[in-house]
Amino acid sequence: MIVVNLDVMMAKRKMTLSQLSEKVDLTLANLSILKNNKAKAVRFSTLSAICAALDCQPGDILEFVPDEDSP
């Protein structure tokens, strides 16, 4: 499973969802879906814009967590 740690990075940068939304030109609703781990996919262009706005790497936002059922 891929976990999105957007909220962690936003807290480190002291940035609100509204501020990030303005910087990356995405709706609050779409960012909220991503932040709350409800997204099924993310475009590279979106990930790139978020990383630029938060001055981070994709690995700072995305984390692979093995399923409990996986060997």
Side-chain angles (χ1 to χ4, degrees):
M1 169 189 338
I2 301 295
V3 176
V4 180
N5 294 314
L6 183 58
D7 53 344
V8 173
M9 224 38 232
M10 288 171 48
K12 286 182 180 179
R13 300 296 188 252
K14 295 181 168 87
M15 189 177 295
T16 66
L17 201 60
S18 297
Q19 291 169 326
L20 184 59
S21 173
E22 288 177 20
K23 285 186 178 239
V24 298
D25 196 31
L26 283 173
T27 65
L28 282 172
N30 284 339
L31 275 178
S32 182
I33 288 169
L34 191 58
K35 184 180 90 118
N36 293 317
N37 282 299
K38 304 242 188 244
K40 300 289 183 199
V42 61
R43 292 181 182 194
F44 282 141
S45 58
T46 300
L47 185 58
S48 180
I50 291 170
C51 286
L54 294 174
D55 188 30
C56 67
Q57 295 295 313
D60 296 328
I61 297 172
L62 302 176
E63 176 185 5
F64 174 72
V65 177
D67 290 335
E68 292 178 8
D69 298 338
S70 297

